[in-house]
């Protein structure tokens, strides 16, 4: 896309799997192009290459600001985060051994929630690759895995139902 100032990408095992990711929802709805990285070497080189042709590479599977929201959207997101503070706090407490935080999503439009990697940790695909290569074990050592960020869609009926349940039980 000509006016796209960032190169968005998502890595995964195959094109069919990556193309079904809920993390693509908002980008697709706004007409952004996203590269699908399905070759294991992509995970390695993208860790070292941050820019290409004056365009920043952005992994949409990690906790980073995509920069696709305008000022009005950002204000609305801040208000929504305040409105859902009780629910996000509740989910963070319940899932504290699995996630680092729970936030309102800026990438989901139809899916209730998604897990994303921390901005400085390994992506889920990189963890899968490392597990399949040399380790040959069922579990990765704890230093090679990272807790994820839970993103919730405030417009989804399941999330709205959870919010009303939390508010009614106080």
């Amino acid at each position: 896309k000509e006016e796209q100032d960032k190169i968005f990408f998502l890595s995964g095992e195959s094109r069919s799997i990556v193309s079904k990711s809920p993390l693509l929802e908002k980008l697709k709805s706004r007409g952004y192009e996203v590269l699908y990285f399905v070759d294991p070497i992509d995970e390695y080189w993208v860790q070292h290459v941050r820019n290409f042709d004056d365009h920043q590479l952005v992994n949409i599977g990690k906790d980073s600001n995509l920069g696709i929201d305008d000022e009005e959207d950002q204000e609305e997101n801040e208000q929504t985060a305040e409105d859902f503070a009780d629910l996000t706090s509740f989910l963070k407490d319940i899932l504290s051994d699995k996630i680092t935080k729970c936030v309102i999503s800026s990438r989901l439009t139809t899916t209730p929630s998604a897990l994303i990697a921390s901005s400085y940790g390994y992506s889920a695909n990189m963890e899968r690759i490392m597990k399949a290569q040399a380790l040959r074990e069922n579990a990765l050592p704890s230093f090679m895995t990272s807790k994820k960020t839970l993103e919730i869609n405030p417009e989804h009926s399941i999330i709205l139902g959870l919010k009303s349940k939390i508010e009614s039980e106080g």
Side-chain angles (χ1 to χ4, degrees), residues 22 54 63 71 104:
D54 295 327
D63 186 14
E71 206 171 293
I104 299 300

Side-chain angles (χ1 to χ4, degrees), residues 24-32 68 107 109:
L24 298 167
E25 291 173 354
K26 192 166 198 178
L27 290 167
K28 280 184 175 179
S29 72
R30 293 200 176 175
Y32 286 95
I68 61 172
R107 19 182 142 224
T109 57

Side-chain angles (χ1 to χ4, degrees), residues 1-54:
K1 188 173 175 179
E2 294 274 334
E3 62 274 359
Q4 190 169 319
D5 63 341
K6 297 178 181 177
I7 299 173
F8 297 109
F9 71 91
L10 184 61
S11 59
E13 192 170 355
S14 71
R15 181 179 170 90
S16 64
I17 291 172
V18 174
S19 67
K20 295 175 187 168
S21 173
L23 301 177
L24 298 167
E25 291 173 354
K26 192 166 198 178
L27 290 167
K28 280 184 175 179
S29 72
R30 293 200 176 175
Y32 286 95
E33 293 179 353
V34 179
L35 295 177
Y36 298 166
F37 288 171
V38 295
D39 195 336
I41 196 68
D42 293 336
E43 279 286 351
Y44 292 101
W45 76 261
V46 82
Q47 291 177 16
H48 303 287
V49 177
R50 301 278 184 226
N51 296 299
F52 178 77
D53 253 357
D54 295 327

